[in-house]
Every structure is written in C-alpha cells, then in structure tokens.
Amino acid sequence: MHVTSKYVGGSASAGRTISSSITDHTPIHTHTHTHTHKHKHTSGNSTSQHHSFIMHSKEHISHDEYQKTADWLRSHTKHRPLVAIICGSGLGMLADTLKCQDSFDYSDIPGFPQSTVQGHAGRLVFGELKGKSCVCMQGRFHMYEGHSLIKTTFPIRVFKLMGVETLIVTNAAGSLADGLQPGDIMIIKDHINFPGLVGLNPLCGPNDEKFGPRFPAMSGCYDKGLRSLMMEIAKQMGVAGLVQEGVYAMVGGPNFETIAEAKLLHRLGVDAVGMSTAPEVVVATHCGLRVFGLSLITNKVVKSYEDSESVNHEGVLEVGRLRSQTVQQLVTELISTMEINNNENTKIVS
Ligand SMILES: O=P(O)(O)O[C@H]1O[C@H](CO)[C@@H](O)[C@H]1O
Ligand SMILES: Nc1nc2[nH]cnc2c(=O)[nH]1
C-alpha cells in the first residue's frame, strides 16, 4: 500500500508532505498537526446530559428495557450473531466488510444512545464474516460525550440477550511503552480502569442478578485462548512484528494527557492509554461474555518537556485509516478460526 499524507501547519512539520510506503512492517510516523476541529452534530440537551452524568450511579435500566431493544433488533434482522465487534476510532471500516448486511442507524433503534464523535458513524451493522453471523458497532459511546456509563455500555447487554457469546473490542490508543510505535497493534492482556477505581463504574447501582453477580471477578477478563490464537494468526499473516500484548488504561478524557500524567501512566506500567473500552469489558465480563480486545497504536503519548509534538483526533483517525486493512484481516481471521458454538442461534432466519 502506498500512502501519501499531507499535514499542513503545526510547528515542527509545517507544510511538509509526508509520503510513506506503508507495508505491514512499516512503523507509522506521527507528526505535529494543526488543530482543525470538525464536530459531528451533537443531539440531546446539555442540561440533561450533565444531569445524567452526575446521576450515573442512580440511573437504572431495567431488564425489560434491554429486552425490548433486543426483541426489536431480532424482529428487524435475519441474523442471529454469536460475535459482537465494537469498532474504535477510525476503525469503522471493518463493518463495511460484512456480507449480507442489515444496518440500522443508532437513532432508529429504540433505547440506543447516539454517537457524537467524529470517526464513529453511529450505525449497527449485522452481517457475515467468513460465513459467521456478526454484529458490528460502527461507533461506540464514550463517557466524555456526556453519556452515563450505563448508557455507554447499553449495547453489550442487548447483545447478550440476542445470544452473543463473544465480544471483540477495538480502540485507538496512545502508547507509553517504548516498544510500541504508531501503527503497531496491541492485544489487550489486561486493563486499568481509572474511572472505575474511583467509583465511575457501569455496575454501580442496583445489581441485576439475571445478568451477573454483585461482585464479579475481573482477573482473566481478556480471554487467554483468544489472545494466543491472535498471536498465531499474526505470525501466519506475516505481521507478528507489528503485534504484541500489553496493558491498556482507560482515562476519562476528552483531553489528551499532560506530560506529568503521561509520566505517571508510564511509571505505573501502562502500555497504551485511551478513553474507552474498560466499561464495555466490565459489563461484558459481568454477564459472562468471552472478551477479546485490541488497541491500534495511533500515536506516542508525549512524555518529555523537550518534545514539541502533540496529538490530535485527526491524526488518530488517519492512522486508523492507514492500518484498518490489517486490523480487519486480523479480526476476520480470528472470527473465522475461533471456536463458536454452532447452534441454532448462528443460523440466518429466512
Ligand atoms: O477508544 P476509541 O473509541 O477508539 O477512541 C480513542 O480515540 C479518541 C481520541 O482521539 C478517544 O475517544 C479515544 O478513546
Ligand atoms: N487518552 C488518550 N486517548 C487516546 N486515543 C488515541 N490516542 C490517545 C492518547 O494518546 N491518549
């Protein structure tokens, strides 16, 4: 693949045209960018969003409400997926590769929140990958958008009620680890849920035993078998040099890290940092889903006061686009190879 990207402005790389021949082994170099803000239209009023955020732990969604959405979806699609995929920033193209698609804008699905972030289309796509029925979230919800955590993770329980057994989460993340370069892919071995450590957790509030226990274990929440299967697949695809395991940390965002924060995360042993994923994985593990997670490293987190580079969302999305094909191939191969219960549920309803 030959990619030419032009970055205009920015102090260090003003007006420079960067032409890079990106192969599966080529590191992607990030550069200082100008801040060109493009915002998607945000629906909802700010007062109620603010209110729902503060009241997050008192908010409750009943089992019936999740069920209603699951029933609506089941009655509107012929697919009966056992695998759900959440596409991270810039990785939504994965959903486009699904065959025999049924897709729904989030705004048309009863109970679904709305995506407000550039690079998150806001569409739920059902279809087949290598003959296996999947559902793909082309766009996720983040806490910093003003969604309560229970809303952020709403789709996970809906998927569970639809019969999904495995959740694949992907995200864009900044690297703290010296060995992780932009364009590398990190298999998530474990996470540090910073909002969760201070009580911002989607499981706060009344526990619904129908989904899972009051005090769920989180050790081993990223399935070991799927992690080693992915390493094998990367070797077979000849991209093992791009892939390694590491620890992801979720911070609240929406600002990127200060240098002092970056140094702290680095000292704590964090390999990659982002603003999502952990709440989804907590809810999925609580309700017994098998989880696999993958971070696309889109930038190095600036850890030095001597460094004049800075990160922005456009740069994050661009690296997502450059590596989307590799991520797609890895995820497709994982789904194709992993064991899934081939019961009635997988079949398309005619
Ligand atoms: O985690 P995803 O949704 O991939 O997005 C990541 O990219 C955005 C910042 O550019 C943040 O939302 C961060 O969490
Ligand atoms: N918090 C955080 N989120 C990201 N998402 C993509 N890159 C980054 C980053 O450097 N920091």
Side-chain angles (χ1 to χ4, degrees):
M1 189 181 8
H2 189 78
V3 183
T4 303
S5 47
K6 185 165 190 203
Y7 297 85
V8 282
S11 55
S13 57
R16 193 145 41 117
T17 299
I18 301 137
S19 178
S20 50
S21 216
I22 296 190
T23 66
D24 281 336
H25 298 285
T26 313
I28 293 173
H29 302 286
T30 48
H31 298 267
T32 309
H33 301 282
T34 43
H35 294 257
T36 48
H37 294 286
K38 275 192 226 143
H39 293 293
K40 277 179 71 172
H41 172 70
T42 308
S43 63
N45 87 43
S46 58
T47 313
S48 68
Q49 282 188 352
H50 182 63
H51 179 73
S52 69
F53 181 70
I54 290 171
M55 299 295 285
H56 75 281
S57 63
K58 298 218 175 81
E59 189 178 352
H60 181 67
I61 298 178
S62 69
H63 197 277
D64 276 1
E65 287 170 88
Y66 291 108
Q67 190 69 60
K68 252 187 218 157
T69 305
D71 291 347
W72 187 91
L73 286 167
R74 279 176 77 93
S75 68
H76 283 76
T77 178
K78 53 194 177 301
H79 293 285
R80 296 292 177 259
L82 291 187
V83 180
I85 306 159
I86 302 181
C87 299
S89 287
L91 296 169
M93 270 99 83
L94 180 61
D96 298 333
T97 63
L98 267 59
K99 306 266 184 311
C100 310
Q101 289 191 11
D102 284 332
S103 82
F104 305 92
D105 287 344
Y106 291 162
S107 54
D108 293 332
I109 308 172
F112 248 63
Q114 305 308 307
S115 278
T116 68
V117 184
Q118 192 80 20
H120 292 260
R123 209 166 21 242
L124 192 63
V125 184
F126 291 84
E128 287 186 3
L129 273 180
K130 298 256 175 140
K132 291 184 176 162
S133 237
C134 300
V135 56
C136 203
M137 283 179 70
Q138 208 169 29
R140 62 147 56 83
F141 310 114
H142 306 83
M143 192 172 92
Y144 62 74
E145 293 174 75
H147 299 300
S148 63
L149 285 166
I150 198 79
K151 274 279 185 192
T152 300
T153 54
F154 179 81
I156 312 291
R157 287 179 169 177
V158 171
F159 296 152
K160 171 75 182 179
L161 293 176
M162 291 186 76
V164 164
E165 293 176 352
T166 304
L167 176 71
I168 298 177
V169 283
T170 67
N171 61 50
S175 80
L176 281 314
D178 297 331
L180 278 171
Q181 304 302 324
D184 284 353
I185 290 162
M186 187 184 87
I187 296 172
I188 307 177
K189 179 183 180 180
D190 201 353
H191 73 223
I192 300 174
N193 179 6
F194 279 106
L197 292 180
V198 294
L200 287 168
N201 188 316
L203 300 180
C204 285
N207 183 54
D208 188 339
E209 293 284 331
K210 284 190 201 143
F211 284 115
R214 172 77 286 185
F215 300 109
M218 287 294 141
S219 50
C221 56
Y222 294 90
D223 188 81
K224 211 172 176 177
L226 292 182
R227 279 163 36 210
S228 38
L229 180 58
M230 181 55 103
M231 279 312 290
E232 257 327 292
I233 290 168
K235 275 183 209 152
Q236 279 166 25
M237 278 175 50
V239 294
L242 283 184
V243 181
Q244 55 186 288
E245 283 201 336
V247 173
Y248 174 88
M250 181 208 177
V251 295
N255 60 281
F256 292 107
E257 291 64 42
T258 64
I259 290 171
E261 287 163 353
K263 284 169 180 266
L264 173 76
L265 292 171
H266 185 51
R267 281 191 176 201
L268 290 176
V270 170
D271 296 306
V273 60
M275 310 168 195
S276 69
T277 303
E280 296 154 2
V281 172
V282 164
V283 168
T285 304
H286 177 251
C287 68
L289 297 183
R290 176 172 66 157
V291 175
F292 175 81
L294 182 156
S295 294
L296 172 65
I297 304 301
T298 52
N299 56 285
K300 291 207 71 116
V301 180
V302 178
K303 298 198 291 265
S304 159
Y305 291 102
E306 312 311 316
D307 198 336
S308 59
E309 298 219 342
S310 70
V311 56
N312 66 34
H313 189 55
E314 282 74 28
V316 167
L317 295 182
E318 175 148 19
V319 177
R321 276 191 292 274
L322 295 175
R323 272 287 184 256
S324 63
Q325 218 182 342
T326 311
V327 173
Q328 272 165 33
Q329 286 166 350
L330 287 167
V331 171
T332 305
E333 216 35 53
L334 182 75
I335 291 171
S336 154
T337 323
M338 72 193 191
E339 271 183 40
I340 0 190
N341 287 337
N342 197 16
N343 61 21
E344 278 305 299
N345 218 20
T346 48
K347 296 201 181 116
I348 288 182
V349 179
S350 48

